[in-house]
């Protein structure tokens, strides 16, 4: 079993739809949860991060973490064609004193928003 | 403010050759991590450099080595290239204190091994 599982899609939605992207994980030591957006042939761009459980909102994006279920989500409201990209979830232990913060990624979900 | 930069953009090498990839971190960042991203996959952690030393390594063979310079820039070296080394190589920089959740990636170097 992989540490982080993410449905690769592809996911196609009409413009203006609400998009839900999800990841599950098996390692209960993960404390920090990130979402990255990666356009074709570009490096990943950090969208937002969350520490432990709860919700975090940034404009049209909302990240949710449920540590009891080992499940994280990213919601995109009022989706736009410019949101078309691959969305990667990433996690880290953030262990104090370890000094190193290796990110473990999902495979990414390819999203297309159709005008 | 320049973000993370990487060079070269693309590279084509033959099996058995050696390659060096370069990374300049975001201004003010002191930590550099390297990742390998195969087509259709998420990035996989290779290693991380801080204070010019490798302090954590992922599940990659010794053919992969690196270096960090006093100005925090970094190099990734891969020896005895295999076809399976073909991938996008990503450099990420961070402040050591925020590295658990704020790593910023460069555009990557696309390596093709023939």
């Amino acid at each position: 079993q992989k540490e982080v599982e993410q449905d690769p899609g592809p996911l196609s939605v009409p413009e203006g739809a609400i998009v839900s992207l999800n990841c599950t994980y098996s390692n209960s030591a993960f404390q920090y949860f990130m979402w990255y957006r990666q356009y074709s042939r570009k490096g990943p761009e950090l969208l937002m991060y969350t520490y432990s459980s709860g919700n975090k909102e940034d404009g049209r994006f909302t990240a949710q973490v449920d540590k009891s279920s080992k499940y994280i989500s990213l919601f995109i409201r009022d989706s736009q064609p410019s949101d078309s990209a691959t969305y990667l979830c990433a996690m880290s232990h953030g262990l104090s004193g370890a000094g190193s913060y290796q990110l473990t990624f999902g495979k990414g979900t390819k999203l297309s928003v159709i005008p | 403010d320049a973000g993370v930069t990487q060079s070269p953009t693309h590279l084509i090498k033959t099996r058995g050759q050696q390659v060096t990839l370069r990374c300049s971190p975001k201004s003010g960042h002191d930590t550099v991590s390297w990742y390998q991203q195969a087509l259709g996959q998420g990035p996989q952690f290779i290693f991380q450099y801080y204070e010019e030393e490798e302090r954590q390594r992922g599940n990659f063979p010794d053919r992969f080595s690196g270096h960090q310079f006093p100005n925090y820039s970094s190099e990734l070296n891969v020896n005895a290239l295999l076809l399976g080394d073909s991938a996008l190589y990503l450099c990420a920089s961070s402040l050591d204190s925020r590295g658990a959740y704020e790593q910023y990636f460069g555009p990557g170097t696309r390596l093709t091994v023939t």
Side-chain angles (χ1 to χ4, degrees), chain B residues 26-105:
Chain B
K26 191 174 164 68
S27 178
H29 284 183
D30 55 9
T31 304
V32 172
S33 303
W34 286 92
Y35 293 81
Q36 179 195 66
Q37 186 176 25
L39 200 61
Q41 303 293 317
Q44 279 203 296
F45 176 77
I46 302 174
F47 42 52
Q48 184 180 84
Y49 277 84
Y50 174 67
E51 291 189 338
E52 301 179 49
E53 294 206 355
E54 179 187 301
R55 66 177 179 181
Q56 189 173 12
R57 188 178 187 91
N59 189 24
F60 279 80
D62 291 346
R63 298 187 297 109
F64 290 77
S65 63
H67 189 77
Q68 186 180 34
F69 299 95
N71 67 353
Y72 307 118
S73 67
S74 178
E75 287 181 352
L76 164 66
N77 300 292
V78 187
N79 293 324
L81 285 166
L82 303 174
L83 294 179
D85 295 331
S86 295
L88 181 68
Y89 287 84
L90 295 161
C91 166
S93 78
S94 56
L95 267 175
D96 178 52
S97 59
R98 301 172 72 87
Y101 51 88
E102 274 191 353
Q103 293 191 20
Y104 293 91
F105 284 82

Side-chain angles (χ1 to χ4, degrees), chain B residues 1-43:
Chain B
D1 174 29
V4 180
T5 60
Q6 292 186 243
S7 63
T9 305
H10 296 92
L11 208 48
I12 299 175
K13 290 286 190 178
T14 304
R15 272 179 299 176
Q17 286 189 317
Q18 177 264 345
V19 68
T20 297
L21 311 181
R22 295 177 175 81
C23 170
S24 290
K26 191 174 164 68
S27 178
H29 284 183
D30 55 9
T31 304
V32 172
S33 303
W34 286 92
Y35 293 81
Q36 179 195 66
Q37 186 176 25
L39 200 61
Q41 303 293 317

